Amino acid sequence: MAERQTEKRHAAAQGLELRSPTEILTLLAAGQADAAKSVATAVDALADGAVLAAASIEAGGRLIYVAAGSSGLMALADALELPGTYGIAREQIVVLLAGGLDSLVNMLGGPEDDGDAAKKAIEDLYLDARDCVIALTASGQTPFPVSAVLAAKAAGAKTIGFSNNAGALILDIADVGVCLPTPPEVIAGSTRMGAGTAQKIALNMLSTLMAIHLGHVHDGFMVNVIADNIKLRERARGIVASISGASEDRAAAALETSEGAVKPAVLLAAGAEDLGAAEAMLAEHKGRLRLALAALRS
């Protein structure tokens, strides 16, 4: 256990339970902050991973998140938000959790050791070169995500592997290995804490950069958002008005014409002749709003 960073004892944990609540929480907060800092060392690998993920989505392939335990919860949180935030087609996002969906209400440890289950789950998806597997394991050795990566590679899919331990197996076998070298946990081995925090941040970064590569972000706005509630419809109206320079009323009218689609609404508010013309400009520029706007204004 001591050989893995994620299993080592924290230097300040001695006598932890004897301290005041404020002292304990201060130490826990510092542990989370230190874990978050580790993500900065992985930006190059995350950039490489985002390129693979964007290429898969653009080619009509799928992102398959694979993980167990706490890592599975981090993967699920990232995956489920992609369709709403960036308009990624729901069928292009798959999540494979050790133990299946039952693990969301009864998280057992045993299923993470079932590499055969992961292999079968990957084989049942009939992956090809368009697909990309994103596998997470704090230890870097967990059989479920490791076996998923091996099965995905055998099918010709791209693979990204996350671990919080340097030199871990999953980092070596994946096409892109993302090492998040978090310090020892305040509660030794409790990787739902620091390691999970780092994984959450890193996944957010990778998927956000992926969305930027796909043209779904413009000047920091989520221009492919699915506006399906009051808050998001108001946000969409503000986005259209800000990017196009049009009034809120004109932005609202454009969104009504585009049935809530932000990119064509921006072009309509900026002067596109009609919805068909706006959609044609976006198609010509592969959904890149900046290029379509430049063409419209020229």
Side-chain angles (χ1 to χ4, degrees), residues 203-245:
L203 284 173
N204 284 169
M205 291 167 62
L206 187 152
S207 58
T208 299
L209 183 55
M210 174 194 76
I212 291 171
H213 287 323
L214 291 169
H216 298 335
V217 176
H218 180 102
D219 286 343
F221 289 120
M222 50 179 81
V223 290
N224 221 38
V225 64
I226 302 299
D228 58 0
N229 62 29
I230 294 172
K231 176 189 72 176
L232 293 177
R233 284 191 288 272
E234 291 177 350
R235 180 180 298 166
R237 185 170 66 250
I239 291 171
V240 172
S242 180
I243 296 175
S244 68

Tab-separated table of all heavy atoms in Angstrom, residues 203-245:
chain	number	residue	atom	x	y	z
A	203	LEU	N	-11.541	16.331	-15.646
A	203	LEU	CA	-12.584	15.982	-16.617
A	203	LEU	C	-13.302	17.229	-17.115
A	203	LEU	O	-13.592	17.352	-18.316
A	203	LEU	CB	-13.586	15.018	-15.991
A	203	LEU	CG	-13.135	13.571	-15.844
A	203	LEU	CD1	-14.170	12.787	-15.047
A	203	LEU	CD2	-12.906	12.911	-17.199
A	204	ASN	N	-13.602	18.159	-16.222
A	204	ASN	CA	-14.214	19.419	-16.636
A	204	ASN	C	-13.337	20.142	-17.656
A	204	ASN	O	-13.834	20.683	-18.649
A	204	ASN	CB	-14.432	20.338	-15.433
A	204	ASN	CG	-15.601	19.942	-14.558
A	204	ASN	OD1	-15.754	20.463	-13.461
A	204	ASN	ND2	-16.445	19.039	-15.021
A	205	MET	N	-12.045	20.144	-17.400
A	205	MET	CA	-11.118	20.829	-18.300
A	205	MET	C	-11.072	20.148	-19.667
A	205	MET	O	-11.141	20.801	-20.713
A	205	MET	CB	-9.722	20.870	-17.668
A	205	MET	CG	-9.633	21.779	-16.448
A	205	MET	SD	-8.115	21.536	-15.485
A	205	MET	CE	-6.853	21.972	-16.685
A	206	LEU	N	-10.961	18.818	-19.651
A	206	LEU	CA	-10.869	18.076	-20.914
A	206	LEU	C	-12.137	18.263	-21.750
A	206	LEU	O	-12.062	18.570	-22.942
A	206	LEU	CB	-10.619	16.601	-20.632
A	206	LEU	CG	-10.326	15.712	-21.846
A	206	LEU	CD1	-9.446	14.527	-21.441
A	206	LEU	CD2	-11.587	15.184	-22.517
A	207	SER	N	-13.303	18.096	-21.134
A	207	SER	CA	-14.537	18.180	-21.912
A	207	SER	C	-14.833	19.611	-22.356
A	207	SER	O	-15.414	19.828	-23.428
A	207	SER	CB	-15.714	17.606	-21.120
A	207	SER	OG	-15.889	18.268	-19.895
A	208	THR	N	-14.418	20.591	-21.557
A	208	THR	CA	-14.601	21.985	-21.973
A	208	THR	C	-13.706	22.315	-23.165
A	208	THR	O	-14.150	22.951	-24.135
A	208	THR	CB	-14.301	22.936	-20.809
A	208	THR	OG1	-15.199	22.663	-19.731
A	208	THR	CG2	-14.459	24.386	-21.231
A	209	LEU	N	-12.454	21.876	-23.118
A	209	LEU	CA	-11.570	22.106	-24.259
A	209	LEU	C	-12.073	21.361	-25.488
A	209	LEU	O	-11.991	21.864	-26.615
A	209	LEU	CB	-10.144	21.678	-23.911
A	209	LEU	CG	-9.081	21.927	-24.991
A	209	LEU	CD1	-9.052	23.389	-25.420
A	209	LEU	CD2	-7.706	21.478	-24.510
A	210	MET	N	-12.606	20.161	-25.296
A	210	MET	CA	-13.211	19.426	-26.396
A	210	MET	C	-14.321	20.258	-27.041
A	210	MET	O	-14.398	20.379	-28.274
A	210	MET	CB	-13.780	18.103	-25.890
A	210	MET	CG	-14.559	17.324	-26.931
A	210	MET	SD	-15.545	15.977	-26.223
A	210	MET	CE	-16.909	16.920	-25.501
A	211	ALA	N	-15.182	20.838	-26.209
A	211	ALA	CA	-16.286	21.643	-26.725
A	211	ALA	C	-15.777	22.876	-27.471
A	211	ALA	O	-16.355	23.283	-28.487
A	211	ALA	CB	-17.208	22.058	-25.584
A	212	ILE	N	-14.693	23.455	-26.986
A	212	ILE	CA	-14.098	24.594	-27.682
A	212	ILE	C	-13.596	24.164	-29.050
A	212	ILE	O	-13.820	24.851	-30.062
A	212	ILE	CB	-12.962	25.203	-26.832
A	212	ILE	CG1	-13.545	25.877	-25.585
A	212	ILE	CG2	-12.133	26.196	-27.644
A	212	ILE	CD1	-12.506	26.311	-24.569
A	213	HIS	N	-12.914	23.031	-29.121
A	213	HIS	CA	-12.449	22.510	-30.414
A	213	HIS	C	-13.615	22.273	-31.377
A	213	HIS	O	-13.480	22.440	-32.591
A	213	HIS	CB	-11.697	21.191	-30.220
A	213	HIS	CG	-10.344	21.330	-29.609
A	213	HIS	ND1	-9.483	22.377	-29.882
A	213	HIS	CD2	-9.664	20.535	-28.725
A	213	HIS	CE1	-8.362	22.230	-29.201
A	213	HIS	NE2	-8.441	21.123	-28.496
A	214	LEU	N	-14.756	21.886	-30.842
A	214	LEU	CA	-15.920	21.586	-31.675
A	214	LEU	C	-16.681	22.841	-32.092
A	214	LEU	O	-17.650	22.756	-32.856
A	214	LEU	CB	-16.868	20.642	-30.930
A	214	LEU	CG	-16.349	19.214	-30.714
A	214	LEU	CD1	-17.246	18.466	-29.736
A	214	LEU	CD2	-16.251	18.466	-32.041
A	215	GLY	N	-16.264	23.997	-31.597
A	215	GLY	CA	-16.923	25.243	-31.958
A	215	GLY	C	-18.145	25.559	-31.120
A	215	GLY	O	-18.971	26.378	-31.512
A	216	HIS	N	-18.252	24.948	-29.948
A	216	HIS	CA	-19.430	25.135	-29.110
A	216	HIS	C	-19.243	26.220	-28.055
A	216	HIS	O	-20.122	26.409	-27.197
A	216	HIS	CB	-19.808	23.824	-28.429
A	216	HIS	CG	-20.169	22.731	-29.399
A	216	HIS	ND1	-20.644	22.995	-30.659
A	216	HIS	CD2	-20.122	21.376	-29.295
A	216	HIS	CE1	-20.879	21.857	-31.293
A	216	HIS	NE2	-20.565	20.872	-30.492
A	217	VAL	N	-18.120	26.914	-28.106
A	217	VAL	CA	-17.846	28.009	-27.184
A	217	VAL	C	-17.395	29.225	-27.998
A	217	VAL	O	-16.574	29.096	-28.911
A	217	VAL	CB	-16.754	27.633	-26.157
A	217	VAL	CG1	-16.416	28.827	-25.263
A	217	VAL	CG2	-17.206	26.444	-25.316
A	218	HIS	N	-17.965	30.378	-27.679
A	218	HIS	CA	-17.624	31.621	-28.385
A	218	HIS	C	-17.466	32.733	-27.351
A	218	HIS	O	-18.420	33.077	-26.658
A	218	HIS	CB	-18.734	31.980	-29.385
A	218	HIS	CG	-18.474	33.241	-30.162
A	218	HIS	ND1	-18.020	33.217	-31.469
A	218	HIS	CD2	-18.601	34.547	-29.830
A	218	HIS	CE1	-17.885	34.461	-31.902
A	218	HIS	NE2	-18.224	35.281	-30.928
A	219	ASP	N	-16.259	33.268	-27.226
A	219	ASP	CA	-15.981	34.327	-26.247
A	219	ASP	C	-16.456	33.935	-24.841
A	219	ASP	O	-16.965	34.770	-24.082
A	219	ASP	CB	-16.645	35.642	-26.667
A	219	ASP	CG	-15.926	36.317	-27.832
A	219	ASP	OD1	-14.768	35.959	-28.097
A	219	ASP	OD2	-16.536	37.186	-28.471
A	220	GLY	N	-16.305	32.660	-24.501
A	220	GLY	CA	-16.688	32.199	-23.178
A	220	GLY	C	-18.163	31.883	-23.018
A	220	GLY	O	-18.592	31.506	-21.929
A	221	PHE	N	-18.928	32.008	-24.086
A	221	PHE	CA	-20.351	31.664	-24.041
A	221	PHE	C	-20.563	30.242	-24.566
A	221	PHE	O	-19.922	29.827	-25.534
A	221	PHE	CB	-21.175	32.619	-24.906
A	221	PHE	CG	-21.291	34.011	-24.365
A	221	PHE	CD1	-20.829	35.097	-25.100
A	221	PHE	CD2	-21.880	34.257	-23.130
A	221	PHE	CE1	-20.948	36.393	-24.623
A	221	PHE	CE2	-22.004	35.550	-22.646
A	221	PHE	CZ	-21.533	36.619	-23.384
A	222	MET	N	-21.513	29.520	-23.949
A	222	MET	CA	-21.868	28.174	-24.408
A	222	MET	C	-22.905	28.301	-25.525
A	222	MET	O	-24.111	28.309	-25.284
A	222	MET	CB	-22.375	27.319	-23.248
A	222	MET	CG	-23.459	27.965	-22.411
A	222	MET	SD	-24.043	26.895	-21.052
A	222	MET	CE	-22.749	27.180	-19.832
A	223	VAL	N	-22.443	28.413	-26.765
A	223	VAL	CA	-23.335	28.741	-27.876
A	223	VAL	C	-24.030	27.515	-28.470
A	223	VAL	O	-24.746	27.647	-29.464
A	223	VAL	CB	-22.576	29.509	-28.990
A	223	VAL	CG1	-22.215	30.899	-28.519
A	223	VAL	CG2	-21.329	28.744	-29.433
A	224	ASN	N	-23.834	26.358	-27.861
A	224	ASN	CA	-24.581	25.173	-28.287
A	224	ASN	C	-25.438	24.632	-27.150
A	224	ASN	O	-25.829	23.470	-27.150
A	224	ASN	CB	-23.634	24.074	-28.791
A	224	ASN	CG	-24.168	23.377	-30.024
A	224	ASN	OD1	-24.766	23.997	-30.893
A	224	ASN	ND2	-23.967	22.074	-30.120
A	225	VAL	N	-25.746	25.509	-26.200
A	225	VAL	CA	-26.516	25.105	-25.030
A	225	VAL	C	-27.924	24.686	-25.441
A	225	VAL	O	-28.501	25.217	-26.389
A	225	VAL	CB	-26.584	26.260	-24.004
A	225	VAL	CG1	-27.324	27.471	-24.558
A	225	VAL	CG2	-27.190	25.797	-22.689
A	226	ILE	N	-28.466	23.707	-24.735
A	226	ILE	CA	-29.857	23.313	-24.916
A	226	ILE	C	-30.676	24.080	-23.878
A	226	ILE	O	-30.643	23.775	-22.687
A	226	ILE	CB	-30.046	21.795	-24.718
A	226	ILE	CG1	-29.148	21.024	-25.692
A	226	ILE	CG2	-31.499	21.413	-24.909
A	226	ILE	CD1	-29.424	21.278	-27.152
A	227	ALA	N	-31.403	25.096	-24.319
A	227	ALA	CA	-32.141	25.981	-23.410
A	227	ALA	C	-33.514	25.388	-23.103
A	227	ALA	O	-34.516	25.717	-23.747
A	227	ALA	CB	-32.275	27.365	-24.024
A	228	ASP	N	-33.567	24.514	-22.095
A	228	ASP	CA	-34.796	23.794	-21.814
A	228	ASP	C	-35.409	24.143	-20.455
A	228	ASP	O	-36.221	23.398	-19.917
A	228	ASP	CB	-34.574	22.289	-21.931
A	228	ASP	CG	-33.490	21.776	-20.991
A	228	ASP	OD1	-32.911	22.589	-20.245
A	228	ASP	OD2	-33.231	20.555	-21.001
A	229	ASN	N	-35.022	25.284	-19.884
A	229	ASN	CA	-35.705	25.784	-18.690
A	229	ASN	C	-35.620	27.309	-18.687
A	229	ASN	O	-34.983	27.914	-19.556
A	229	ASN	CB	-35.129	25.178	-17.402
A	229	ASN	CG	-33.665	25.524	-17.181
A	229	ASN	OD1	-33.188	26.578	-17.609
A	229	ASN	ND2	-32.946	24.660	-16.492
A	230	ILE	N	-36.289	27.933	-17.728
A	230	ILE	CA	-36.364	29.395	-17.711
A	230	ILE	C	-34.985	30.021	-17.630
A	230	ILE	O	-34.657	30.955	-18.369
A	230	ILE	CB	-37.242	29.861	-16.523
A	230	ILE	CG1	-38.696	29.426	-16.738
A	230	ILE	CG2	-37.160	31.372	-16.361
A	230	ILE	CD1	-39.595	29.675	-15.536
A	231	LYS	N	-34.151	29.513	-16.730
A	231	LYS	CA	-32.807	30.070	-16.557
A	231	LYS	C	-32.011	30.010	-17.843
A	231	LYS	O	-31.379	30.995	-18.259
A	231	LYS	CB	-32.066	29.305	-15.451
A	231	LYS	CG	-30.618	29.725	-15.250
A	231	LYS	CD	-29.882	28.786	-14.316
A	231	LYS	CE	-29.614	27.446	-14.965
A	231	LYS	NZ	-28.817	26.543	-14.096
A	232	LEU	N	-32.040	28.859	-18.507
A	232	LEU	CA	-31.238	28.696	-19.719
A	232	LEU	C	-31.815	29.481	-20.896
A	232	LEU	O	-31.064	29.952	-21.757
A	232	LEU	CB	-31.107	27.216	-20.065
A	232	LEU	CG	-30.282	26.397	-19.066
A	232	LEU	CD1	-30.268	24.931	-19.468
A	232	LEU	CD2	-28.869	26.935	-18.944
A	233	ARG	N	-33.135	29.644	-20.946
A	233	ARG	CA	-33.707	30.470	-22.018
A	233	ARG	C	-33.304	31.926	-21.843
A	233	ARG	O	-32.992	32.619	-22.824
A	233	ARG	CB	-35.235	30.316	-22.038
A	233	ARG	CG	-35.690	28.995	-22.654
A	233	ARG	CD	-37.192	28.984	-22.906
A	233	ARG	NE	-37.956	28.888	-21.672
A	233	ARG	CZ	-38.300	27.733	-21.098
A	233	ARG	NH1	-37.927	26.574	-21.635
A	233	ARG	NH2	-39.021	27.731	-19.980
A	234	GLU	N	-33.261	32.377	-20.593
A	234	GLU	CA	-32.788	33.736	-20.339
A	234	GLU	C	-31.312	33.871	-20.683
A	234	GLU	O	-30.870	34.881	-21.243
A	234	GLU	CB	-33.029	34.100	-18.877
A	234	GLU	CG	-34.500	34.270	-18.516
A	234	GLU	CD	-34.702	34.553	-17.044
A	234	GLU	OE1	-33.716	34.423	-16.266
A	234	GLU	OE2	-35.835	34.899	-16.658
A	235	ARG	N	-30.545	32.836	-20.348
A	235	ARG	CA	-29.115	32.861	-20.672
A	235	ARG	C	-28.916	32.896	-22.180
A	235	ARG	O	-28.081	33.652	-22.688
A	235	ARG	CB	-28.425	31.635	-20.075
A	235	ARG	CG	-26.922	31.576	-20.358
A	235	ARG	CD	-26.297	30.350	-19.736
A	235	ARG	NE	-26.425	30.363	-18.284
A	235	ARG	CZ	-26.212	29.304	-17.509
A	235	ARG	NH1	-25.886	28.145	-18.051
A	235	ARG	NH2	-26.336	29.402	-16.208
A	236	ALA	N	-29.678	32.087	-22.900
A	236	ALA	CA	-29.553	32.047	-24.364
A	236	ALA	C	-29.860	33.407	-24.970
A	236	ALA	O	-29.162	33.870	-25.885
A	236	ALA	CB	-30.483	30.979	-24.934
A	237	ARG	N	-30.903	34.068	-24.461
A	237	ARG	CA	-31.250	35.390	-24.975
A	237	ARG	C	-30.109	36.380	-24.745
A	237	ARG	O	-29.756	37.171	-25.623
A	237	ARG	CB	-32.537	35.891	-24.316
A	237	ARG	CG	-33.029	37.214	-24.883
A	237	ARG	CD	-34.415	37.569	-24.381
A	237	ARG	NE	-34.436	37.829	-22.944
A	237	ARG	CZ	-35.016	37.034	-22.041
A	237	ARG	NH1	-35.629	35.919	-22.416
A	237	ARG	NH2	-34.985	37.343	-20.754
A	238	GLY	N	-29.516	36.324	-23.555
A	238	GLY	CA	-28.385	37.197	-23.268
A	238	GLY	C	-27.184	36.908	-24.143
A	238	GLY	O	-26.477	37.831	-24.584
A	239	ILE	N	-26.935	35.620	-24.416
A	239	ILE	CA	-25.821	35.241	-25.284
A	239	ILE	C	-26.021	35.802	-26.682
A	239	ILE	O	-25.103	36.397	-27.279
A	239	ILE	CB	-25.680	33.709	-25.335
A	239	ILE	CG1	-25.191	33.163	-23.989
A	239	ILE	CG2	-24.723	33.279	-26.453
A	239	ILE	CD1	-25.236	31.651	-23.883
A	240	VAL	N	-27.209	35.611	-27.223
A	240	VAL	CA	-27.491	36.082	-28.584
A	240	VAL	C	-27.349	37.596	-28.662
A	240	VAL	O	-26.728	38.127	-29.600
A	240	VAL	CB	-28.907	35.651	-29.033
A	240	VAL	CG1	-29.278	36.301	-30.364
A	240	VAL	CG2	-28.972	34.130	-29.150
A	241	ALA	N	-27.895	38.312	-27.683
A	241	ALA	CA	-27.800	39.764	-27.687
A	241	ALA	C	-26.349	40.233	-27.579
A	241	ALA	O	-25.915	41.150	-28.289
A	241	ALA	CB	-28.632	40.341	-26.543
A	242	SER	N	-25.578	39.589	-26.687
A	242	SER	CA	-24.193	40.017	-26.473
A	242	SER	C	-23.318	39.788	-27.700
A	242	SER	O	-22.562	40.677	-28.107
A	242	SER	CB	-23.606	39.260	-25.274
A	242	SER	OG	-22.272	39.642	-25.044
A	243	ILE	N	-23.437	38.622	-28.311
A	243	ILE	CA	-22.569	38.314	-29.454
A	243	ILE	C	-22.985	39.099	-30.694
A	243	ILE	O	-22.137	39.617	-31.432
A	243	ILE	CB	-22.586	36.808	-29.744
A	243	ILE	CG1	-21.988	36.029	-28.566
A	243	ILE	CG2	-21.789	36.497	-31.026
A	243	ILE	CD1	-22.069	34.526	-28.716
A	244	SER	N	-24.286	39.205	-30.932
A	244	SER	CA	-24.761	39.867	-32.152
A	244	SER	C	-24.784	41.378	-32.051
A	244	SER	O	-24.757	42.083	-33.054
A	244	SER	CB	-26.170	39.375	-32.495
A	244	SER	OG	-27.107	39.828	-31.521
A	245	GLY	N	-24.864	41.891	-30.811
A	245	GLY	CA	-25.003	43.331	-30.616
A	245	GLY	C	-26.436	43.804	-30.761
A	245	GLY	O	-26.700	45.009	-30.743
